[in-house]
Amino acid sequence: MYLENMKSTKSLNSIKKDFPILNRQINGHPLVYLDSAATSQKPQAIIDTLVDYYKNHNANVHRGIHTLGDESTKMYDIARQTIAEFIGASDKKELIFVRNTTEAINLVAYSWGRENIKSGDEILVSEMEHHSNLVPWQMLAKEKGAVVKFINVTPEGKLDMEDLKRKLNPKTKIVSVVHVSNFLGTINPVKEIAKIIKEFQIATSKTPRNDEKRPLIFIDGAQAVPHMPVNVKELGCDFYAFSGHKMYGPMGIGCLWGKKELLEEIPPFLTGGGMINTVSKDKTTFTDLPDKFEAGTPNVAGAVGLAAAVKYLQRVGMKTVREHELELTKYALEKFKVQSSKFKINIYGPMNAEERGGLIAFTLRLRSGQAGKEVHGHDVAQVLDSQGIAVRSGHHCVMPMHDKLGLAATTRVSFGIYNTKEDVNKLVEALKKI
Ligand code: PMP
């Protein structure tokens, strides 16, 4: 079957060779790609899997009774099983294919939210959320007359756990936080958050506004699943979302994992073909999980490609991935301390690399001339691009946290499995030219 040739282990030493795009020259320089938090590059094995799917197996799933339809359906099912096992789900039916993390959050805000949120209820997010884990809750709150509250972020860029405890109350219906921040880099203590919430659930289960299932815990894992071992059951959350394109898989495919009993309980998000049992002129009944949440023709090639990406990551090993990116982050944080006489680098988020994922957002301030003046992030990114180095600048879809820090924009470098210390050296040399 299509994942069979993806079993042997893979060393990180020569991994760059697997990514054809990394052979490109950009503005006369070899590409140094430091924007994996926005999207990762794709190894040849994943590109080949997509080509093979379309060349040899393409057909719609769950429908026609012919060989290709059967092959495609099997590949789609195996993909679901592979990805479900990768994140520690106990049942593949708990894994819903969506387009991306954003769609996964919208699904829950729509389907669960519209059934369960009432006027006066509270939705608790943190100040470091990506807009994807804020705007859908804001829309829901507006529609229902509920309130979105924010867990404070400390000056060190960490979640204020005491503030979480203070803000939990019987009106809190869901707590939705990011696993690894795409701006501060902070790895949030999801397991501890889940434990605090569980204790709160038990303590308040008899109050009229609550029951032992509330508040639920939603985790935005977009920046975690590609970079560290994640086991949704061990974390103790209710929902978990991630995107395929950030983990070496194709664009347009992502996953929502949810506890089976919750997914079974809530109504579908989108409706139409592929998710019904029976339809009459006045009534429709829906299929079981996971099809209930996958209306219309799914992105089969995307799912198959994402499963290939999972196999690829498993060949490296998620512990190895984390260790590699941790080492790069430590190295970059050290290098950033060796500052130029012309400018000072300010780094945001925890200064201890162990507490952060493989990304660093920073600003540059000039020391002399226009002393204290900040170099705009776009200028930094442009100068780096002229030397073949791809980084991102702006608010990274985390405007509330930028506002809190009084920042209009930052520059962000983010690592993937293909990055090396040499890439960091090139970055630091290029920064000195600004
Ligand atoms: N959450 C976080 C933490 C992210 O970093 C991103 C992507 N930058 C998203 C959500 C949204 O992901 P997508 O665009 O794939 O939906």
Side-chain angles (χ1 to χ4, degrees), residues 108-124:
V108 175
Y110 188 92
S111 290
W112 174 83
R114 274 157 188 80
E115 285 279 303
N116 290 282
I117 295 287
K118 303 182 297 298
S119 172
D121 283 347
E122 294 181 7
I123 297 162
L124 195 51

Side-chain angles (χ1 to χ4, degrees), residues 241-262:
F242 54 101
S243 299
H245 69 96
K246 293 184 197 284
M247 50 191 286
Y248 314 101
M251 288 194 176
I253 188 80
C255 302
L256 169 71
W257 170 84
K259 279 187 184 152
K260 203 162 147 203
E261 62 273 20
L262 278 169

Side-chain angles (χ1 to χ4, degrees), residues 6 10 15-24 31 33 35-51 99 222 226-227 243-254 301-302 305-310 312-313 416-418:
M6 286 212 164
K10 188 162 251 313
I15 210 148
K16 256 190 188 194
K17 288 201 207 97
D18 288 357
F19 293 79
I21 208 168
L22 299 180
N23 289 324
R24 270 202 64 179
L31 168 64
Y33 189 74
D35 195 20
S36 294
T39 198
S40 64
Q41 295 303 346
K42 321 300 172 201
Q44 188 64 48
I46 276 72
I47 299 169
D48 289 346
T49 303
L50 293 174
V51 172
R99 280 186 304 148
H227 304 291
S243 299
H245 69 96
K246 293 184 197 284
M247 50 191 286
Y248 314 101
M251 288 194 176
I253 188 80
L306 178 53
V310 161
Y312 185 86
L313 279 167
I417 49 178
Y418 30 64

Side-chain angles (χ1 to χ4, degrees), residues 264-292:
E264 276 169 348
E265 196 179 289
I266 63 182
F269 176 37
L270 303 173
T271 54
M275 46 80 71
I276 53 89
N277 255 339
T278 58
V279 181
S280 65
K281 281 188 176 166
D282 51 10
K283 192 167 161 262
T284 297
T285 60
F286 304 118
T287 48
D288 294 335
L289 297 174
D291 298 354
K292 179 175 130 184

